[in-house]
């Protein structure tokens, strides 16, 4: 389980840059490998502290971390292993991050993190087990655009995705015959140590061995189809069932449907991020939708029956007599299906007056005639809400 970066540095989530720097300096010195020779624990702490500082000292990374947790900063994939196959897999399909262990445990996401769907569906199958061989595949993130109609009722989508798949020639082993030998560079440990100078003096960095990619073993007679990686770029079809009521930024996690892992490593997850496309007729307010309806002045006064569009097609609506502008009329059950439960939100129809711009001479004469009627204009008598001019003026000046 990866610890919260704030916890690692022992600072609050609102800590200033200075506080973060101070905390880092103190811990970096405390756990520095030079001060703790041959102490694996200190070494781990030192790495952890450096990683936390790298993210929290960078405004952009910190913002993403605050929003999405470790996932947002791709703090991940095999720290130490991420680079060795070029991270090529993560450039596909509008993927903006490689993920690792993002939802393990499910309870530790930073506040404000998007909704996790395992919680909705329950028993999400648990975290995939780490394979004993190979490097874990990276998680893959894709965006899925949905219309309000699709969100209202839920939808099943078939997506074509480019990702790293297992090489069929070598069955993912990376080797024609399956044979391997100990790596000469790291002598089978998978790690190399490099000294580097920083503002705090000399650091010893432990990195994945570039020759074997941290595996400690080298493949003999490489597979020529995948160049020994055991994986290749491929295109797959994935079915995604999206429940009703999802919102922009929600995501679904499809376990083990991300990139295949090099040389037999477990596959990463596929993370589908929901993007809601704006609707030309309806605006969304939670699970309710609002539609604006223009009605003529006579119809507002006398009442009328109209047809209004809903997410389920046209529906007849009664505008009662003496309906005031801005009135919200409710059409029950024509909103968005709730994420939890089977009922739906409502549609509201916001009634407005239609004011025509081009009127014929005859129409104008009719309106003038109407104006002569005593009941047509607001007065203290027929509109309790509007005060007479002199009353209003007094309110202002006293
Ligand atoms: Zn191959
Ligand atoms: Zn090696």
């Amino acid at each position: 389980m990866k610890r919260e970066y704030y916890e690692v540095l022992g600072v609050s989530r609102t800590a200033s840059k200075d506080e973060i720097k101070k905390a880092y300096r103190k811990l970096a010195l405390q756990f520095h490998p030079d001060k703790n020779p041959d102490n694996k624990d200190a070494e781990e702490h030192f790495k952890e502290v450096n990683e936390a500082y790298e993210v929290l000292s960078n405004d952009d990374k910190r913002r993403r971390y605050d929003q999405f947790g470790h996932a947002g900063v791709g703090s991940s994939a095999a720290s130490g292993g991420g680079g060795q196959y070029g991270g090529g897999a993560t450039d596909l399909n509008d993927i903006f991050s490689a993920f690792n262990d993002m939802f393990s445990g499910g309870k530790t996401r930073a506040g404000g993190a998007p909704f996790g769907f395992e919680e909705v569906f329950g028993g999400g199958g648990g975290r995939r087990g780490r394979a004993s061989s190979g490097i874990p595949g990276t998680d893959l993130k894709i965006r899925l655009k949905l219309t309000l109609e699709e969100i209202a009722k839920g939808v099943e989508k078939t997506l074509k995705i480019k990702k790293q798949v297992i090489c069929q020639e070598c069955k993912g082993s990376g080797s024609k015959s399956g044979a391997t030998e100990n790596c000469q560079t790291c002598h089978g440990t998978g790690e190399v140590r490099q000294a580097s100078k920083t503002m705090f003096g000399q650091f010893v960095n432990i990195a994945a061995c570039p020759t074997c990619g941290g595996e400690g073993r080298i493949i003999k007679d490489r597979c020529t189809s995948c160049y020994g990686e055991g994986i290749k770029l491929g295109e797959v079809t994935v079915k995604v069932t999206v429940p009703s009521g999802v919102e922009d930024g929600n995501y679904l996690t499809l376990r083990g449907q991300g990139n295949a892992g090099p040389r037999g490593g477990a596959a990463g997850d596929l993370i589908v991020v929901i993007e809601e496309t704006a609707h030309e007729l309806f605006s969304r307010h939670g699970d309710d939708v609002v539609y604006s309806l223009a009605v003529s002045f006579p119809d507002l006064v006398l009442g009328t029956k109209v047809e209004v569009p809903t997410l389920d097609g046209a529906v007849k609506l009664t505008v009662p007599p003496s309906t005031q502008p801005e009135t919200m009329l409710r059409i029950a059950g024509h909103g968005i299906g709730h994420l939890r439960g089977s009922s739906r939100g409502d549609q509201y129809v916001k009634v407005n007056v239609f004011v025509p711009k081009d009127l014929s001479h005859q129409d104008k004469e009719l309106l003038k005639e109407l104006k002569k009627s005593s009941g047509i204009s607001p007065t203290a008598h027929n509109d309790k809400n509007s005060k007479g001019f002199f009353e209003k003026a007094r309110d202002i000046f006293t």
Side-chain angles (χ1 to χ4, degrees), residues 183-192 209-218:
C183 171
Q184 296 296 307
T185 311
C186 64
H187 308 290
T189 64
E191 285 179 348
V192 288
C209 169
T211 311
C212 63
E215 289 169 276
R217 307 281 301 168
I218 295 270

Side-chain angles (χ1 to χ4, degrees), residues 67-68 103 109 112-121 243 245-253 271-272 274 339-340:
Q67 199 176 356
F68 299 112
F103 308 137
R109 281 194 302 284
F115 205 79
F117 277 86
E118 309 92 301
E119 288 171 6
V120 179
F121 301 122
V246 293
E247 283 174 35
D248 213 57
N250 284 167
Y251 49 71
L252 292 126
T253 305
I271 298 169
V272 181
I274 306 296
L339 190 55
R340 294 163 206 263

Side-chain angles (χ1 to χ4, degrees), residues 106-144:
K107 296 277 181 276
T108 53
R109 281 194 302 284
F115 205 79
F117 277 86
E118 309 92 301
E119 288 171 6
V120 179
F121 301 122
R127 188 67 196 168
R128 64 185 180 268
R130 289 272 178 255
S132 52
S133 69
I135 302 161
T138 49
D139 290 351
L140 204 59
K141 197 171 181 179
I142 59 161
R143 294 181 174 278
L144 176 59

Side-chain angles (χ1 to χ4, degrees), residues 80-233:
Q84 83 264 12
Y85 70 103
T90 55
D91 296 333
L92 307 166
N93 284 321
D94 188 24
I95 301 144
F96 37 88
S97 198
F99 288 78
N100 191 43
D101 284 344
M102 67 181 298
F103 308 137
S104 45
K107 296 277 181 276
T108 53
R109 281 194 302 284
F115 205 79
F117 277 86
E118 309 92 301
E119 288 171 6
V120 179
F121 301 122
R127 188 67 196 168
R128 64 185 180 268
R130 289 272 178 255
S132 52
S133 69
I135 302 161
T138 49
D139 290 351
L140 204 59
K141 197 171 181 179
I142 59 161
R143 294 181 174 278
L144 176 59
K145 282 191 179 171
L146 295 177
T147 65
L148 209 52
E149 281 86 352
E150 289 170 330
I151 289 172
K153 293 171 188 175
V155 66
E156 187 170 275
K157 286 274 183 183
T158 304
L159 312 174
K160 272 212 169 103
I161 289 165
K162 283 204 176 91
K163 67 169 190 178
Q164 300 285 2
V165 296
I166 291 167
C167 170
Q168 288 308 310
E169 305 290 317
C170 62
K171 301 280 178 276
S173 71
S175 156
K176 275 182 207 160
S177 61
T180 61
E181 62 188 7
N182 241 6
C183 171
Q184 296 296 307
T185 311
C186 64
H187 308 290
T189 64
E191 285 179 348
V192 288
R193 288 166 185 253
Q194 286 157 333
S196 64
K197 281 196 172 134
T198 74
M199 61 193 279
F200 305 116
Q202 206 179 55
F203 279 24
V204 178
N205 289 321
I206 296 158
C209 169
T211 311
C212 63
E215 289 169 276
R217 307 281 301 168
I218 295 270
I219 292 161
K220 292 172 87 174
D221 61 343
R222 279 170 186 272
C223 167
T224 46
S225 176
C226 63
Y227 305 101
E229 291 292 312
I231 52 174
K232 322 169 61 164
L233 252 191

Side-chain angles (χ1 to χ4, degrees), residues 6-69:
Y6 292 100
E7 190 190 321
V8 169
L9 293 183
V11 296
S12 76
R13 296 186 72 84
T14 52
S16 69
K17 282 192 125 175
D18 240 32
E19 287 173 300
I20 287 169
K21 196 170 185 176
K22 263 188 203 148
Y24 166 65
R25 200 177 299 216
K26 191 169 144 260
L27 292 166
L29 288 171
Q30 188 186 338
F31 294 117
H32 197 288
D34 284 356
K35 284 194 175 175
N36 305 273
D38 295 325
N39 181 339
K40 267 273 172 198
D41 241 27
E43 192 181 301
E44 280 308 311
H45 266 103
F46 185 68
K47 275 199 232 170
E48 204 183 11
V49 162
N50 274 290
E51 189 184 316
Y53 181 68
E54 195 204 311
V55 170
L56 297 186
S57 61
N58 176 308
D59 288 341
D60 184 49
K61 284 184 183 171
R62 185 176 176 183
R63 192 174 45 73
R64 272 187 292 151
Y65 176 73
D66 285 344
Q67 199 176 356
F68 299 112

